[in-house]
Amino acid sequence: GEDVEQSLFLSVREGDSSVINCTYTDSSSTYLYWYKQEPGAGLQLLTYIFSNMDMKQDQRLTVLLNKKDKHLSLRIADTQTGDSAIYFCAGSTDSWGKLQFGAGTQVVVTP
Amino acid sequence: NAGVTQTPKFQVLKTGQSMTLQCAQDMNHNSMYWYRQDPGMGLRLIYYSASEGTTDKGEVPNGYNVSRLNKREFSLRLESAAPSQTSVYFCASTDTTYEQYFGPGTRLTVT
């Protein structure tokens, strides 16, 4: 199975870049995901990356994957107060889409 | 499209009581999932259904049963609730390995 670890808290000033880090254990992970959870809501997929990619950019979001170190990061450029949320890293190793989630990183954006 | 809906939104049970959490999706997805979310632990998979008529255990199935009633609906039953089952329960569905769509969650407290 997959174990996924994340830092628990990140404080960032509005307008700065945020970087959220994640490590995973299973090198056979085929897809790696970043989900966002706002207070009282379900999870929303932000972006995903295939295991054969090193980087993926999607507007303000940049995902970096270091397969050698099994390290995944999410960079949010020009962080806004609306980016305050919990961010979950998740991995999938099978075709049924079963996800293994990290504990989540709480991001607080201050004006 | 309502997406993934869950009922009820909140529930308080006494130890030993039973209840069923309902989930429905209107996206014609084949696969559906039940997760629980506990503080500091991320989401853990309870059961999943890869297609109508099939169900399989996830990481934490003990104390739960599921029914895939039809393609739209996937219910989670607690036969004899225990305080350890106090949690937030999320249902999700997908038709690919790329994105799972999550419901808003059910907050369950067992006293």
Side-chain angles (χ1 to χ4, degrees):
Chain A
E2 174 82 278
D3 280 329
V4 179
E5 292 191 2
Q6 304 177 233
S7 50
L8 294 183
F9 185 80
L10 176 67
S11 179
V12 62
R13 293 184 67 169
E14 190 174 13
D16 289 349
S17 292
S18 312
V19 179
I20 308 167
N21 294 300
C22 170
T23 57
Y24 60 97
T25 58
D26 195 331
S27 58
S28 63
S29 293
T30 50
Y31 301 97
L32 294 149
Y33 306 83
W34 284 103
Y35 279 84
K36 177 183 181 183
Q37 184 182 33
E38 296 183 7
L43 276 69
Q44 176 189 6
L45 180 69
L46 283 178
T47 187
Y48 63 91
I49 189 168
F50 297 122
S51 58
N52 62 356
M53 298 169 65
D54 297 321
M55 185 182 88
K56 181 179 181 182
Q57 189 149 1
D58 185 359
Q59 299 182 330
R60 292 192 296 124
L61 306 178
T62 303
V63 179
L64 295 178
L65 175 59
N66 181 326
K67 289 183 284 292
K68 175 176 170 289
D69 294 337
K70 299 191 187 70
H71 182 264
L72 183 73
S73 68
L74 174 69
R75 178 177 179 269
I76 305 172
D78 186 26
T79 309
Q80 303 297 308
T81 54
D83 295 324
S84 292
I86 301 176
Y87 291 80
F88 291 94
C89 170
S92 174
T93 59
D94 63 36
S95 59
W96 300 118
K98 300 198 303 287
L99 299 178
Q100 188 73 32
F101 284 87
T105 299
Q106 171 121 38
V107 173
V108 174
V109 182
T110 56
Chain B
N1 274 356
V4 180
T5 56
Q6 293 183 236
T7 55
K9 286 189 168 47
F10 301 93
Q11 184 71 49
V12 178
L13 291 178
K14 293 187 189 312
T15 297
Q17 287 185 320
S18 63
M19 81 161 294
T20 300
L21 282 65
Q22 306 286 353
C23 173
Q25 51 91 10
D26 62 2
M27 297 172 281
N28 203 35
H29 288 166
N30 282 315
S31 302
M32 298 185 73
Y33 309 81
W34 275 106
Y35 295 90
R36 60 178 288 172
Q37 182 180 25
D38 300 298
M41 297 189 72
L43 277 74
R44 293 180 292 168
L45 183 66
I46 305 171
Y47 270 93
Y48 69 102
S49 171
S51 61
E52 186 179 354
T54 69
T55 60
D56 281 290
K57 295 178 182 179
E59 184 186 349
V60 288
N62 290 345
Y64 305 95
N65 284 302
V66 289
S67 295
R68 183 73 183 268
L69 304 168
N70 48 55
K71 193 170 186 180
R72 287 188 66 246
E73 298 170 290
F74 188 36
S75 62
L76 179 72
R77 183 159 177 84
L78 287 70
E79 291 291 351
S80 179
S84 61
Q85 294 178 305
T86 292
S87 189
V88 182
Y89 291 86
F90 289 100
C91 177
S93 71
T94 189
D95 214 19
T96 74
T97 53
Y98 306 149
E99 178 167 9
Q100 290 188 18
Y101 292 82
F102 284 78
T106 295
R107 280 168 169 70
L108 175 66
T109 302
V110 183
T111 61

